[in-house]
Amino acid sequence: MIRPSANLDSSSYEFAYDSLRALAAELPSKVVFDIGAGDERMRRVEELGFEWHGFDLKPRKEATPWDLNDPCPSNLTPGAVMLLDVIEHCLNPGVALRNIAAVLPAGARIVVTVPNPGWSRSRIDVLLKGVPSCFTQSDLDDNHHVFTPWPHILEKMLRDVGLVVEKYVTLDGRTRVFRRPLSITYPIRCLASLATVAIEAADPSSCGMSFGFVARKIAPA
């Protein structure tokens, strides 16, 4: 089982930006694909000298339409891909990763972020409700979270398409115990917080609502 190298307070967007900044000199191309571009906020990687190209199933702005069940619609060769909080929405995540990996040259990187099913609060939800946080019936109905990305499973899926994980971190920070009462439920919430803090002390992979991978293309998919 792989273990995170760090527990960061960063958001998915901050993690992706910082990762690309650190890798800029060694990527095989300055072209960056932002898959699942949404509001296109990650276009800011152009500040780092990259050439941003956005893709989305239903683009809101300038991104190009791309259903990840299909091959890439672009002939460009990216040096890096950002796949931020996308794979959990895919009914066929293996197909999606294969179609992405097919356009990557050797040495290209993919930055992936997903909800962390092993998050400390999620583990308590499993005990109390039977399902992890972010993968409830409500998340299925409202957010289309159809794939639960456990780190070891996502690592295998990446490896199967020629990508090796170089970095694994948790995101969004550690749990903090409530500092002041806000309602009559304060004592109960404090106990729940203490439980999550204890879980996080025992297992670093539980620290954070999300986790992130940086993976490198090493072989044809």
Side-chain angles (χ1 to χ4, degrees):
M1 183 78 73
I2 60 172
R3 309 289 287 178
S5 60
N7 304 123
L8 305 180
D9 288 329
S10 304
S11 69
S12 295
Y13 304 111
E14 292 167 335
F15 171 67
Y17 186 89
D18 291 343
S19 296
L20 291 183
R21 178 170 54 191
L23 290 166
E26 57 185 279
L27 296 175
S29 165
K30 287 295 185 181
V31 173
V32 172
F33 283 5
D34 182 6
I35 301 174
D39 60 9
E40 302 184 4
R41 71 182 67 185
M42 288 308 294
R43 191 165 195 156
R44 65 186 290 248
V45 299
E46 292 178 339
E47 302 167 359
L48 303 173
F50 291 110
E51 181 183 326
W52 176 91
H53 292 271
F55 299 88
D56 213 314
L57 182 62
K58 296 179 180 178
R60 302 182 200 174
K61 297 182 179 180
E62 298 179 26
T64 299
W66 184 6
D67 184 333
L68 291 174
N69 290 308
D70 302 322
C72 181
S74 172
N75 293 322
L76 294 171
T77 300
V81 167
M82 294 183 290
L83 191 68
L84 309 183
D85 300 329
V86 171
I87 204 69
E88 67 272 16
H89 300 275
C90 295
L91 283 167
N92 300 297
V95 172
L97 292 173
R98 184 167 296 279
N99 285 330
I100 294 168
V103 303
L104 297 178
R109 303 306 204 280
I110 180 170
V111 182
V112 185
T113 64
V114 291
N116 181 10
W119 181 32
S120 57
R121 199 179 88 184
S122 185
R123 298 185 189 196
I124 291 175
D125 281 349
V126 168
L127 288 174
L128 298 179
K129 304 174 185 178
V131 292
S133 305
C134 301
F135 300 98
T136 64
Q137 184 67 48
S138 175
D139 286 294
L140 174 64
D141 296 340
D142 299 336
N143 302 318
H144 201 259
H145 285 189
V146 294
F147 171 62
T148 308
W150 295 97
H152 62 293
I153 293 174
L154 185 55
E155 181 197 27
K156 181 192 184 303
M157 296 175 73
L158 289 166
R159 188 171 63 246
D160 286 348
V161 296
L163 290 151
V164 61
V165 172
E166 294 184 318
K167 187 173 186 179
Y168 163 35
V169 299
T170 63
L171 303 170
D172 303 314
R174 292 176 174 271
T175 298
R176 291 174 174 80
V177 179
F178 292 101
R179 295 174 181 165
R180 59 191 180 91
L182 298 176
S183 71
I184 60 173
T185 63
Y186 177 71
I188 295 173
R189 290 186 289 114
C190 265
L191 288 174
S193 293
L194 288 169
T196 58
V197 167
I199 292 169
E200 291 172 13
D203 183 359
S205 70
S206 69
C207 303
M209 189 171 63
S210 304
F211 72 82
F213 279 169
V214 177
R216 176 171 51 90
K217 179 69 178 292
I218 58 171

